[in-house]
Amino acid sequence: MEPRLVGPGPYRATRLWNEIIELFRAGMPLRKHRCRFKSYERCFKASEAVECLHELLGSNQNFGPEVTRDQTVKLLKKFLKNHVIEDIKGRWGKEDFEDDGRLYRFPPSSPLKSYPKKPSCGKEVIKFPDWNEPRAGPSQEPIPVKSVTMNSEMWYKRHSIAIGEVPACKLVFRRELTQNNIEEIWKSMTLSRLQKVLGLDSLDEVLDTKLVNSKHIVQNVYNVNKQGIVTLEDKSKELPHWILSAMKCLVNWPSCSDLKQPTYSGFERDVFKTIVDYFSQMKEPLLTFNFFDIFVSVLGLLQKPSKAVEALQISCLLLPPENRKRLQLLVRMMARISLNQDLPRLSESVRTRTLMVQAFSRCILCSKDEIDLDELLAAKLVSFLMDNYQEILSVPSALKSSIEDHVVHLQRVQFQKSYPEVYRVRFPSPETEAMLFPEKTKQKPPILMWALKKPFQPFHRTRSFRM
């Protein structure tokens, strides 16, 4: 069975889980083994399973070579818990799998996860707000009108209106774009672009659009400093100063100007552990539980880097501003620490880049409900974020320009509807310009008399006529 790329779409984590199980069952060599003077057919050692699955995940384009042996062992623990494998005595249900010589086997059929059944909704196009409708307000009840005795003067006025002699007054609802309208336009066009980049007929099964806050999108676009980092209106949501100082210390190592206390052997590892502990105690990952499915879906585009970058750019605009700012600072720190050659190794057994991914991937992306592959999926996303953080965590300029142009167009249209005469003067079309500024009739220039009085020029033979 050949591995295939699982693209974006609903239930991507479930589809990946089922595919890995099928690949593992098809690719794991089964042999005869002896244990305590007894032979067992069609089984394998735990260490052999780790070796096989690790190689399988590393060569699979859905996961890649950055998958570690330790992550493979954790996945096999989940296989044992979910009865994908069992020990040679048929026991399963616990995560007590270890990378050793114990024997395991496959049950007659490894359970694949089923997909939730939802009614098909067909192709959905994200609706844009209609500003021409009257504003929603309290229900208008009919206003009681007193009966009026009709005299000749009143009858004449009503009769004149009826036959068209006097223009009747008409109540017109005039809508102008408010800040709320503009925010809704940002939300609609942003989600529409995201749906197009992902190539989905609908966002329904990967994102609950009701949970997308339009104000967050606008704040993430416009409330930024010169470095593109989000500026928060609520300063109480900022990172503590001591965490920022610790992050700067490792990024700028060996220069730790923010930390006035003396350093010692292993000081940098203690500083790193302080940062890891702070981000690990957060109740919710930076990409939030609500947006887990959309970010997992984006992972299906990693074979097309430009598409994946744009999809992540847009998806990160949906985050609460405080989450986006923390993500910007954290991923930038992770990338710069990985490239800092002057910083001593923070682990004896793991490379610095791998350590960054292992330490922070779960506080960046994880599911509210335990999902068996969320750790591998988070590691894949964080690795891509580190490689492309400057572009991903910046505001997508093309999207910003298109939405701003659309807002300007709507404002002009609303102005045209509200003040047609003024609009016709300020923004004349070729037709209205001709009406406002009629072209003067051009007079033909008079025939010059000297041209008629010019003497007749006789015909002169030229050489060409000579024989």
Side-chain angles (χ1 to χ4, degrees):
M1 180 179 177
E2 290 294 327
R4 64 181 184 274
L5 178 66
V6 179
Y11 321 120
R12 185 172 186 271
T14 303
R15 287 184 287 152
L16 284 171
W17 170 266
N18 291 343
E19 171 155 319
I20 289 299
I21 291 176
E22 292 175 348
L23 290 171
F24 182 51
R25 284 183 66 99
M28 182 68 219
L30 304 178
R31 293 192 297 271
K32 181 179 179 179
H33 289 83
R34 289 183 63 85
C35 179
R36 295 180 181 178
F37 309 106
K38 189 175 181 181
S39 296
Y40 296 91
E41 300 286 343
R42 298 182 57 80
C43 58
F44 51 86
K45 290 182 180 180
S47 57
E48 294 173 343
V50 174
E51 195 69 35
C52 176
L53 185 58
H54 185 222
E55 183 179 349
L56 186 152
L57 292 171
S59 60
N60 190 306
Q61 54 189 337
N62 294 300
F63 299 99
E66 291 191 346
V67 177
T68 64
R69 192 176 181 92
D70 181 60
Q71 290 173 327
T72 306
V73 172
K74 290 180 179 178
L75 181 55
L76 283 165
K77 287 177 182 287
K78 294 180 179 180
F79 278 2
L80 181 59
K81 181 180 179 180
N82 289 277
H83 204 196
V84 177
I85 59 176
E86 61 185 19
D87 68 12
I88 53 175
K89 294 185 179 180
R91 293 173 297 193
W92 59 278
K94 296 182 179 179
E95 294 189 8
D96 56 356
F97 182 95
E98 299 295 338
D99 190 356
D100 54 23
R102 282 183 284 183
L103 299 179
Y104 292 89
R105 67 190 181 190
F106 290 115
S109 61
S110 295
L112 299 179
K113 293 187 176 180
S114 58
Y115 304 106
K117 294 183 179 179
K118 290 187 177 181
S120 57
C121 56
K123 186 170 183 179
E124 177 199 0
V125 178
I126 296 175
K127 296 181 180 180
F128 291 88
D130 183 5
W131 314 120
N132 294 322
E133 296 178 357
R135 291 181 183 175
S139 58
Q140 295 181 354
E141 298 180 356
I143 302 174
V145 180
K146 296 180 179 180
S147 57
V148 180
T149 305
M150 185 73 66
N151 55 32
S152 59
E153 184 179 357
M154 292 184 66
W155 181 91
Y156 176 76
K157 287 182 179 180
R158 292 192 178 185
H159 179 69
S160 301
I161 293 174
I163 63 176
E165 294 181 9
V166 180
C169 295
K170 183 180 180 181
L171 182 62
V172 178
F173 288 98
R174 181 169 59 86
R175 291 288 307 273
E176 294 182 359
L177 291 184
T178 64
Q179 181 61 27
N180 288 337
N181 297 152
I182 294 173
E183 290 169 357
E184 286 303 314
I185 293 172
W186 267 95
K187 176 179 175 179
S188 299
M189 294 188 68
T190 300
L191 294 179
S192 179
R193 181 59 189 170
L194 179 58
Q195 178 178 321
K196 183 176 181 181
V197 174
L198 291 176
L200 300 177
D201 292 336
S202 171
L203 292 177
D204 278 352
E205 294 176 333
V206 296
L207 176 66
D208 185 352
T209 56
K210 294 178 182 178
L211 300 177
V212 177
N213 191 324
S214 58
K215 292 183 182 296
H216 290 169
I217 300 175
V218 175
Q219 289 173 11
N220 288 333
V221 170
Y222 291 106
N223 294 3
V224 296
N225 60 19
K226 294 180 179 179
Q227 290 75 36
I229 305 296
V230 175
T231 57
L232 301 181
E233 297 175 354
D234 186 355
K235 300 304 178 183
S236 66
K237 296 181 179 179
E238 297 277 5
L239 279 175
H241 177 72
W242 55 274
I243 283 292
L244 289 173
S245 299
M247 296 168 73
K248 290 179 182 177
C249 174
L250 295 184
V251 167
N252 300 320
W253 188 276
S255 173
C256 297
S257 56
D258 282 2
L259 297 179
K260 299 180 180 179
Q261 63 187 52
T263 60
Y264 50 85
S265 177
F267 173 77
E268 67 282 351
R269 295 189 181 186
D270 288 344
V271 173
F272 179 69
K273 184 177 183 302
T274 300
I275 300 171
V276 173
D277 290 343
Y278 176 81
F279 282 97
S280 299
Q281 53 82 34
M282 295 189 307
K283 296 181 180 179
E284 188 175 22
L286 294 176
L287 298 183
T288 74
F289 293 134
N290 293 332
F291 299 147
F292 175 81
D293 288 333
I294 194 70
F295 281 104
V296 169
S297 191
V298 172
L299 286 173
L301 293 174
L302 293 191
Q303 299 303 313
K304 303 174 182 177
S306 60
K307 286 276 188 183
V309 166
E310 184 180 2
L312 286 173
Q313 269 187 328
I314 299 173
S315 300
C316 288
L317 286 180
L318 311 182
L319 299 173
E322 59 272 18
N323 288 46
R324 180 177 170 87
K325 180 168 186 176
R326 294 186 177 206
L327 182 68
Q328 288 174 318
L329 296 175
L330 178 60
V331 176
R332 185 175 68 170
M333 180 206 75
M334 294 165 61
R336 293 176 66 178
I337 286 179
S338 300
L339 299 174
N340 189 347
Q341 300 295 329
D342 297 325
L343 181 67
R345 294 193 61 167
L346 299 173
S347 172
E348 295 295 338
S349 58
V350 182
R351 293 187 304 118
T352 301
R353 176 186 170 86
T354 305
L355 179 63
M356 293 296 114
V357 175
Q358 290 180 352
F360 295 109
S361 60
R362 192 162 181 81
C363 71
I364 292 177
L365 178 70
C366 71
S367 173
K368 187 175 184 179
D369 304 318
E370 183 181 357
I371 292 182
D372 297 310
L373 290 177
D374 59 354
E375 185 174 346
L376 292 177
L377 296 174
K380 186 74 172 176
L381 178 67
V382 170
S383 296
F384 190 77
L385 271 174
M386 290 176 63
D387 292 335
N388 304 275
Y389 75 95
Q390 290 182 324
E391 194 172 0
I392 290 174
L393 296 176
S394 63
V395 176
S397 56
L399 177 67
K400 182 174 181 245
S401 299
S402 64
I403 296 178
E404 288 176 342
D405 291 344
H406 185 70
V407 170
V408 170
H409 169 73
L410 286 178
Q411 289 172 331
R412 178 172 290 188
V413 169
Q414 290 304 115
F415 181 80
Q416 179 183 15
K417 291 181 178 180
S418 302
Y419 308 98
E421 298 298 330
V422 178
Y423 181 88
R424 196 174 293 119
V425 175
R426 291 186 60 182
F427 307 103
S429 63
E431 294 78 11
T432 57
E433 190 172 4
M435 295 175 60
L436 292 171
F437 309 103
E439 191 175 348
K440 296 181 179 180
T441 56
K442 295 182 179 180
Q443 297 180 354
K444 295 183 178 180
I447 300 176
L448 300 178
M449 296 304 295
W450 63 269
L452 294 177
K453 294 180 180 180
K454 195 171 183 179
F456 176 77
Q457 299 292 330
F459 177 77
H460 296 282
R461 179 179 291 178
T462 62
R463 287 186 184 180
S464 61
F465 288 98
R466 295 178 182 177
M467 300 299 294

